[in-house]
Amino acid sequence: MSDNSIEKNMDNFIGLSAVLTGFSTEIIAPGLDVVDIKSEYLPFFTKTVTEESGDANLVNNILQEFASLKNSGLSDQQIGEAMLSLSNGDQFVLACRKLIFMWYSGAWPTIIPATEDKPASTVSNLISAKSYTAGLAWQVMQSHPMGDSNYRYGYWATPPPHSVPTQVKEHNDEKSSEL
Amino acid sequence: MKNHQNYDVVIVGSGISGSIVAYQLGLQGKKVLILEAGQAVPVDRSGYMETFFKANAKTPESPYPPTTQNPSASTPDNPLGLPDPANENVPRHTVLQVGAWRKPKQAYFTYPPQEEGLNGDSPKANFAFASSYERIGGGTTWHWLGTSLRLFPNDFELKTLYNQGVDWPGGKNFYQALVPYYEKATNEIGVAGDKDALDTLYEQFGVSQTGEYGPEYDYPMPGITESLVDQAFSASVMPLKVDGIPLYVTPTPQGRNSLPGERRQCAGNTNCIPICPIQAKYDATVTLARAQQTGNVDVLYRHVACNIRVDENTADIIGIDFLTYDTHTGIQTGSGTATGKIYVLAAHAIETPKLLLMSNKNKKCSDGVANSSGQVGRNLMDHVMYLSWALAKEPVYAFRGPLSTAGIESLRDGEFRKDRSAYRIEIGNEGWQWAANDPFTTLADFVFGQDNSQLNGNAVNQQNQPLRWDPKLPANSQLFGQQLVAALNGIYTRQIRLGFLIEQLPDPENRVELSKTEKDHLGLPRPLVTYRIPEDYVRNAFVSAKEVSTKIYNAMGATEYTKAPPAPVFYDTPDKVTATNFQYQGNNFTFYGAGHIVGTYRMGTRSDNSVLNSRQQSWDHRNLYMVGSGVFPTVATGNPTLTIAALAFQAADNILLDLAGITF
């Protein structure tokens, strides 16, 4: 794979991740990306989805499908619906859903099917120490990873000053990281 | 063979009680040796943090060695990859082992078989023990919550006042004698407390006419700011009464810094358990360091006490034998004996009785050391916890601040105590993390269309209210994008939970013995634990807790999501049997552990029914003391650590008196 196509792969991966998670590309992969969790996730996602599905082309198909939907000028909502449409096949949709779970939790999920006495459930394996703190679940609850607060004493006595940071705000002083 | 001699005092265990005793003795110029079974206090906590971050199950023990889980060792029979305790030199009971309680290759504790033919509500049912402890330098305060409440005087006279359990020796006089030590403990821990609120509470329950330790007293640090969750409860519970007693919310006195000090100011990591990443929360490594700074205290890590030697003529203790190791699963590297004038066991309420019972080779002590009463290992107790959870009407922004900053203390005493156990109610700031493993359960539900949170299906609660988060969405919705963000944000920010710490009664049949079959890697027997909740008196409190939860959530306009557990299964394969489920008055209950392991070497007024006298000194061996929560005659109604610390200060004074007048 050429450098150019690797970069394209990453762009599509980030674009797809943004559409499915509801967080903008600038949030999940900012220009200056100190955490750089994307560089952990793309190879992990590729390897794991390929292993689980037994389909060496699946990840490429997913990213190509996203690229062509993006080029056709659809809205994020329409792209997401199209990506998760059952007509893409079970493996394709499941991989996309697991991608959402990974970004939110930093962990890779395994679905335990329902049995006679227990409904379906999910267990998961953390990908790394970094992925735990990078989970979007902490952002969506307007808090911090448990065990990794950047806030100051007493912040818990007042509501968070900002809504969920799914988009980069225009003014720096509105960034929720500056509580 | 290594021998360590010429110490005034030898202490087993470097947790809060061992460290306080060592510090107080070291200050007075006494030479002290601490034998600690576990690893040394690390130079910083980054290694523990790394282990914590990587742990799939972030249980109280997850950051600490030896490792509690190993995903790469996962098998169908052992999905979490629990290590085999037979391969470990210092295994301990962990919360992950509760579900695996019938699997000796995964669980350190062993349990007697269930009697045949028991019904789900049988008082004879055996359960898994639900609370855990650490075996490392600094002990279990690494993962304590920080709650620093005093017990009430009436807690010390449960038998006299309510004809239940036992009194502490001397009853309220014991309490009075403890007051100055409570003050020392409060200062050592550096408790942050709201004086006005605590004066109100403590005056109501007869702690003192002037609130705390006198009218001039104030806490080392101002009270920890209450959370939005606390404020929501506070505003709603005021008009409520239970058994005629009005409810109100009291900010909890806590062992964490509300101001910068020797340690950092709390930054609200919402992670006091398993580990405070910045040591804003007090732990016993603070006192252990102070002890070492006296220049009189030596600590030997990876020294596992395995036998107590007794002089057969005088009955005095003459040495403590130990085994050493280097790595957790490596070979034994040595052995030796430590000797001093006085010996103190401070190895918490499981390992201390285990050590006493293992020491059965001495003439005249074939049932173990200090055990002429037969009470060693008996009366094992915990606060058995009832957990309930709900969604508030409006966002209260859970998952922010310390794990708990307030509670309802007003139901810790009252006339009802004749008929049912008392409890305190802890208000959680961690959403449904404990209750339902959130944020992950709700996340999986809305990503994969499952319904384990009850937010994404057709479930109704016990008041028949529908529980689906958004009635406009179909059951088992699979969301993405902005819709997923909106649903998760709406849910997580409204999550609340209550924990009821129910007072268990002392029962001699609840006990720690030695397993005859299972050993650790050093060849020492593992605990055999019998644990039941036989009394209607205790079970009545579960019924009360369930009703009171619902009453509180209704008053708040919150929707209750407490999930009734499945019916208990006593007879099936180890995978299928339940660990902590029971039935009572037609309800299915499950209990959780509070981490408050007490009672297994209790104090008393008579040598035939207690292990220690009120000085925390063995009835049988005058130069043997024991400290820690094992000395408690009852578990009482407050979290035990402040009382453990106060008792350790008191024991240190008793030991100093003995050393001054020593004649042996």
Side-chain angles (χ1 to χ4, degrees), chain A residues 74 87 149:
Chain A
L74 298 173
S87 61
S149 162

Side-chain angles (χ1 to χ4, degrees), chain A residues 16 19-20 69 75-85, chain B residues 480:
Chain A
L16 173 64
V19 163
L20 293 180
L69 290 166
S75 72
D76 282 1
Q77 181 66 25
Q78 289 166 321
I79 295 173
E81 282 168 13
M83 290 299 294
L84 297 168
S85 158
Chain B
F480 75 94

Side-chain angles (χ1 to χ4, degrees), chain A residues 45-126:
Chain A
F45 177 77
T46 305
K47 179 170 172 286
T48 312
V49 168
T50 304
E51 278 171 12
E52 287 186 357
S53 67
D55 179 351
N57 296 320
L58 183 55
V59 171
N60 196 42
N61 291 346
I62 289 170
L63 296 180
Q64 289 310 314
E65 177 66 15
F66 169 77
S68 74
L69 290 166
K70 186 82 188 167
N71 285 335
S72 63
L74 298 173
S75 72
D76 282 1
Q77 181 66 25
Q78 289 166 321
I79 295 173
E81 282 168 13
M83 290 299 294
L84 297 168
S85 158
L86 289 175
S87 61
N88 292 321
D90 289 353
Q91 298 277 21
F92 184 108
V93 175
L94 184 61
C96 290
R97 294 226 155 261
K98 288 189 169 190
L99 178 69
I100 304 177
F101 188 93
M102 177 174 74
W103 275 101
Y104 270 86
S105 67
W108 188 255
T110 302
I111 293 170
I112 313 288
T115 60
E116 257 174 51
D117 46 357
K118 277 186 185 156
S121 61
T122 302
V123 296
S124 57
N125 266 316
L126 273 171

Side-chain angles (χ1 to χ4, degrees), chain B residues 4-334:
Chain B
H4 301 284
Q5 297 169 333
N6 302 322
Y7 286 98
D8 291 310
V9 176
V10 175
I11 299 174
V12 178
S14 68
I16 186 166
S17 42
S19 293
I20 286 174
V21 172
Y23 180 33
Q24 295 310 296
L25 299 177
L27 282 175
Q28 300 304 318
K30 305 303 174 192
K31 296 294 179 191
V32 178
L33 174 66
I34 297 180
L35 300 174
E36 167 56 55
Q39 297 285 357
V41 176
V43 284
D44 68 49
R45 53 188 63 203
S46 58
Y48 287 176
M49 285 305 298
E50 184 78 4
T51 310
F52 161 75
F53 282 136
K54 283 184 185 159
N56 284 324
K58 297 199 169 357
T59 53
E61 319 79 25
S62 58
Y64 309 109
T67 183
T68 58
Q69 51 198 300
N70 178 8
S72 64
S74 171
T75 64
D77 181 56
N78 182 7
L80 297 163
L82 305 189
D84 184 347
N87 296 334
E88 298 194 316
N89 292 323
V90 283
R92 83 281 201 207
H93 182 54
T94 70
V95 168
L96 291 180
Q97 295 172 13
V98 172
W101 70 305
R102 292 295 185 186
K103 297 179 180 178
K105 285 191 176 306
Q106 297 173 40
Y108 174 54
F109 287 0
T110 59
Y111 298 89
Q114 205 73 274
E115 250 179 66
E116 289 302 316
L118 302 182
N119 294 323
D121 62 355
S122 170
K124 291 181 174 170
N126 284 311
F127 302 112
F129 193 68
S131 283
S132 67
Y133 57 98
E134 302 297 342
R135 297 178 77 181
I136 46 173
T140 306
T141 45
W142 273 99
H143 82 223
W144 78 310
L145 178 58
T147 301
S148 300
L149 288 159
R150 286 163 73 175
L151 302 183
F152 296 153
N154 284 3
D155 286 327
F156 294 73
E157 291 193 344
L158 198 61
K159 183 73 179 173
T160 299
L161 295 171
Y162 305 112
N163 200 29
Q164 297 290 340
V166 294
D167 287 355
W168 290 48
K172 281 178 189 153
N173 290 332
F174 188 93
Y175 169 80
Q176 276 310 325
L178 202 56
V179 169
Y181 296 106
Y182 265 132
E183 181 172 352
K184 287 186 182 190
T186 301
N187 293 340
E188 177 66 23
I189 292 171
V191 174
D194 178 333
K195 178 175 161 57
D196 290 343
L198 291 166
D199 281 358
T200 304
L201 173 73
Y202 287 149
E203 276 173 45
Q204 181 188 340
F205 289 99
V207 170
S208 103
Q209 295 297 314
T210 52
E212 295 294 287
Y213 311 106
E216 300 305 314
Y217 183 82
D218 201 354
Y219 287 82
M221 292 209 176
I224 298 279
T225 306
E226 282 181 273
S227 67
L228 289 168
V229 176
D230 299 336
Q231 295 168 31
F233 277 100
S234 211
S236 304
V237 303
M238 283 302 248
L240 299 181
K241 283 186 179 175
V242 173
D243 294 320
I245 301 168
L247 304 191
Y248 60 91
V249 171
T250 301
T252 306
Q254 297 156 62
R256 58 180 54 84
N257 277 11
S258 58
L259 295 171
E262 290 172 30
R263 306 187 320 279
R264 286 176 59 189
Q265 190 179 29
C266 175
N269 273 283
T270 327
N271 210 60
C272 324
I273 305 170
I275 181 168
C276 177
I278 61 170
Q279 208 185 13
K281 181 190 76 181
Y282 168 89
D283 59 60
T285 66
V286 172
T287 301
L288 184 61
R290 288 173 185 158
Q292 290 173 287
Q293 284 160 19
T294 64
N296 294 317
V297 177
D298 296 331
V299 187
L300 292 173
Y301 294 105
R302 297 181 296 278
H303 279 58
V304 184
C306 61
N307 181 53
I308 303 168
R309 295 179 181 225
V310 180
D311 182 307
E312 64 179 281
N313 296 315
T314 62
D316 288 339
I317 307 300
I318 51 174
I320 294 185
D321 298 333
F322 56 80
L323 307 175
T324 60
Y325 65 94
D326 284 342
T327 63
H328 279 294
T329 55
I331 54 161
Q332 180 192 326
T333 55

